[in-house]
Amino acid sequence: MRGKRVFVAGHRGMVGSALVRRLELEDDVTILAAPRNELDLRDRIRVRGWIEAHRPDCVFLAAGRVGGILANDTRPTEFLFDNLELELAVILGAFEAGVSRLVFLGSSCIYPRGAMQPITESALMTGALEPTNEWYAVAKIAGIKMVQALMKEHGARYISVMPTNLYGPGDNFDLLSSHVIPALMRKAHDARICGANHMSVWGSGTPRREFLHVDDCADAIVHLAQHHDGYEHVNIGTGQDISIRDVAELVADTVGFNGELRFDHTKPDGMPRKRLDVSQLDALGWQPRIGLRDGLSATYRWFLDHHMAMAA
Ligand code: GFB
């Protein structure tokens, strides 16, 4: 990374801002970012022009239309079209502008709903997708294929990485569009403040998810950018999962809410299990550092700081 110019596409999002924090620790790296009002990352012509003008050596594609299970299930058009447009603009724009290195960020939802656990990279396209997020998954699979096409035909040193479910500072705490951890944290916080005796948890509580702190994820992405070249994508995760009921209890405990968890069976469960096989990442010399309990505490501190700032 030393002496390199690095463009973080999506630098204001949870993953992009974590990447910026992580890259700032590197010696002599120039971080490039395009303010949203200056550049619509879905605009192919302008994105290519921006990249040509700023001449990055490396692009991290962390931008995207993201959201939790309900947002994915109810806004398929945005999740499919926005992500496809953005991938096309940034990946092809980078290639046409002569960028030598690119890291594309996907998601563990690319894998089939019934994939064997833990899910190896080779499970891609071996079965039907989970219906609540198939639109987003198809867009992310297309991103992997764009990267592979450029590598196969033109020898581009572009790679794809597939993070598991992420959480941490900078997350979205809006109850309708967020992922499970920020949603539960906000609900537990509001319930405690209002003195409520219960809070709602969507679905049955039995699905299992693997959670990785976003700072660990950013560290893994930079590690792979430095130490990995390959046609196949690489999973990023902890290799450990937990039920939604257990994570809800952990979040409630973190927040100090002692009331009842009420399961709302009108909401979808989504994929029954989603635990990644991380042996490739492990073999490449990377392990996570932030345990779930510590990560939740740090995230709650961040939420309190920003919640208070917004309320003030
Ligand atoms: O985090 P989440 O929205 O995403 O939901 P997915 C995970 C599980 O938590 C589901 C349950 O079984 C939800 O029903 N859950 C319980 C809740 N309470 C809540 C709540 O208050 N809010 C939310 N959001 N969930 C997403 C995909 O799937 O994972 C995306 O839709 C993406 O495409 C992302 O891949 C990583 O893990 O089900």
Side-chain angles (χ1 to χ4, degrees), residues 91-233:
I91 298 172
L92 199 56
F95 178 71
E96 288 172 348
V99 174
S100 56
R101 187 77 166 145
L102 180 140
V103 182
F104 169 63
L105 274 65
S107 158
S108 59
C109 73
I110 58 164
Y111 293 114
R113 175 179 161 86
M116 289 261 290
Q117 307 286 318
I119 310 175
T120 58
E121 286 84 353
S122 60
L124 182 65
M125 299 205 294
T126 56
L129 295 167
E130 157 59 38
T132 55
N133 60 32
E134 62 183 333
W135 317 94
Y136 183 68
V138 164
K140 289 295 184 184
I141 293 170
I144 297 174
K145 292 297 164 191
M146 289 180 203
V147 163
Q148 288 182 339
L150 293 173
M151 175 179 273
K152 182 179 157 103
E153 193 174 341
H154 302 286
R157 280 188 64 228
Y158 291 6
I159 60 170
S160 297
V161 301
M162 296 303 121
T164 191
N165 286 40
L166 303 174
Y167 71 98
D171 214 337
N172 165 22
F173 288 82
D174 170 72
L175 291 184
L176 288 181
S177 58
S178 58
H179 289 99
V180 61
I181 285 184
L184 292 178
M185 200 166 269
R186 168 117 188 241
K187 287 187 209 175
H189 174 83
D190 290 350
R192 179 171 64 78
I193 298 296
C194 302
N197 63 3
H198 68 273
M199 64 176 261
S200 121
V201 180
W202 292 355
S204 62
T206 58
R208 298 182 70 86
R209 293 289 182 273
E210 172 184 353
F211 295 104
L212 180 70
H213 191 282
V214 71
D215 287 341
D216 266 347
C217 181
D219 192 58
I221 293 167
V222 172
H223 182 86
L224 289 172
Q226 290 170 318
H227 301 287
H228 173 65
D229 271 302
Y231 188 71
E232 303 297 340
H233 59 282

